[in-house]
C-alpha cells in the first residue's frame, strides 16, 4: 500500500482506540466518510486511511474530548462556518489576528460591530501569509476579495485557495479541496490554503 495510507488494523493498534470508538466517531462526523478507503488486498477487502490526517485527527479527539462534547468537536472539525462572532477587540485580545491586519482590513467596521465568522476567517488567512512575508498588502486585498466572492459558492464543501505568482503578478483562485492542478512553466505556487484546515484552526482559537 502507499506510504501515505495506514490500515485499520494498524491504526487501532497504534492509537489504542477500539473499533467501536472509531465507528462512533465516524457516525458523529468527527472522522470524514471519505477517509475510509476500501482497497483489495490478498486477504480480501480492507479499510485504509490517509495516515497523517487520521493520526492528527484522532490525537485531537483524544486530547479534547474531556473538554468538549462529541457534537462540539464535530462542529469544530466541520468545514462549515460556526455561528460564533466576535468584535475587533476580541480578535486582538485572543491574539487571533494581528493589530496590523485589523487596522488594514477591518478599519471600516465600528469597534462594537460583531464580525461574522466568514469575515474573520478571511482576515485570519490573509494575516498568516502577511506574517510569513509571502503576501504584500495589495495582494492581501485581492485575496480577501477572491475568498469573499467565491467561498460561499462552495456551500460548505471542502475547498482550497491557491495563490500564484508569475513575473511579479499575483493570481488567486479557488477549487475543490485536493483537486489536481497543473500550471504553465514559470508559475510559482506561493501558497495553497486548505480552507477546512484553516477553519478548524480558527475554531480552535475562537473556542
Amino acid at each position: 500500500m502507499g506510504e501515505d495510507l495506514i490500515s485499520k488494523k494498524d491504526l487501532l493498534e497504534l492509537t489504542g482506540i477500539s473499533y467501536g470508538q472509531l465507528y462512533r466517531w465516524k457516525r458523529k462526523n468527527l472522522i470524514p466518510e471519505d477517509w475510509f478507503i476500501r482497497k483489495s488486498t490478498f486477504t480480501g477487502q480492507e479499510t485504509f486511511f490517509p495516515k497523517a490526517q487520521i493520526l492528527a485527527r484522532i490525537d485531537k479527539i483524544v486530547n479534547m474530548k474531556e473538554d468538549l462534547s462529541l457534537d462540539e468537536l464535530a462542529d469544530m472539525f466541520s468545514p462549515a462556518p460556526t455561528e460564533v462572532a466576535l468584535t475587533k477587540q476580541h480578535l486582538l485580545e485572543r491574539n487571533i489576528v494581528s493589530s496590523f491586519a485589523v487596522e488594514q482590513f477591518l478599519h471600516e467596521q465600528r469597534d462594537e460591530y460583531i464580525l461574522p465568522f466568514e469575515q474573520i476567517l478571511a482576515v485570519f488567512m490573509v494575516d498568516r501569509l502577511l506574517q510569513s512575508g509571502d503576501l504584500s498588502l495589495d495582494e492581501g486585498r485581492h485575496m480577501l476579495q477572491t475568498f469573499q466572492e467565491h467561498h460561499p459558492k462552495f456551500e460548505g464543501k471542502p475547498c482550497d485557495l491557491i495563490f500564484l505568482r508569475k513575473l511579479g503578478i499575483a493570481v488567486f483562485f479557488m477549487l475543490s479541496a485536493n483537486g489536481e492542478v497543473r500550471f504553465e512553466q514559470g508559475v510559482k505556487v506561493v501558497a495553497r490554503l486548505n480552507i477546512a484546515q484553516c477553519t478548524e484552526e480558527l475554531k480552535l482559537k475562537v473556542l
Side-chain angles (χ1 to χ4, degrees):
M1 300 282 74
E3 293 182 0
D4 59 340
L5 296 180
I6 183 171
S7 70
K8 180 169 63 180
K9 178 177 179 294
D10 290 342
L11 176 68
L12 298 181
E13 289 181 355
L14 183 62
T15 60
I17 66 171
S18 69
Y19 177 95
Q21 281 179 303
L22 177 66
Y23 281 87
R24 184 184 181 208
W25 294 344
K26 178 188 177 185
R27 290 194 303 273
K28 298 292 286 186
N29 295 318
L30 301 185
I31 300 176
E33 175 79 33
D34 58 9
W35 286 11
F36 289 72
I37 303 167
R38 297 286 291 173
K39 285 184 173 290
S40 296
T41 68
F42 66 92
T43 58
Q45 287 282 322
E46 290 188 30
T47 300
F48 293 81
F49 302 87
K51 185 174 182 179
Q53 291 173 287
I54 190 70
L55 290 178
R57 178 61 57 88
I58 287 176
D59 183 63
K60 288 179 182 178
I61 294 170
V62 169
N63 287 312
M64 300 178 68
K65 65 185 178 70
E66 298 300 324
D67 300 314
L68 298 173
S69 70
L70 294 185
D71 287 337
E72 287 171 327
L73 284 172
D75 177 66
M76 188 185 71
F77 295 140
S78 167
T82 179
E83 295 181 359
V84 172
L86 303 171
T87 64
K88 292 191 289 186
Q89 189 61 34
H90 287 142
L91 297 183
L92 296 174
E93 289 175 351
R94 299 188 188 188
N95 197 31
I96 293 171
V97 297
S98 68
S99 58
F100 178 78
V102 169
E103 292 168 4
Q104 293 297 323
F105 304 112
L106 298 173
H107 61 278
E108 296 180 355
Q109 310 295 352
R110 301 186 307 275
D111 289 345
E112 67 274 15
Y113 178 77
I114 303 297
L115 300 162
F117 184 85
E118 191 110 350
Q119 186 174 9
I120 298 171
L121 176 62
V123 177
F124 174 71
M125 294 190 300
V126 168
D127 190 37
R128 171 185 292 181
L129 295 183
L130 284 172
Q131 297 296 328
S132 67
D134 292 323
L135 191 74
S136 72
L137 195 53
D138 283 341
E139 290 169 342
R141 295 190 178 97
H142 288 302
M143 177 174 162
L144 272 178
Q145 182 179 355
T146 300
F147 179 81
Q148 292 169 343
E149 180 179 352
H150 296 293
H151 185 242
K153 299 174 184 176
F154 287 89
E155 301 178 340
K157 297 175 183 176
C159 57
D160 293 347
L161 188 150
I162 299 183
F163 170 23
L164 310 175
R165 190 181 283 128
K166 182 176 182 180
L167 300 176
I169 299 175
V171 176
F172 300 91
F173 67 95
M174 300 186 68
L175 77 164
S176 297
N178 302 317
E180 191 172 352
V181 180
R182 292 285 183 265
F183 306 105
E184 63 179 317
Q185 187 175 2
V187 172
K188 178 183 179 183
V189 181
V190 182
R192 179 167 183 166
L193 299 177
N194 182 295
I195 304 302
Q197 290 180 2
C198 293
T199 299
E200 182 181 320
E201 290 174 29
L202 179 56
K203 285 179 179 178
L204 272 171
K205 285 179 170 287
V206 168
L207 291 173

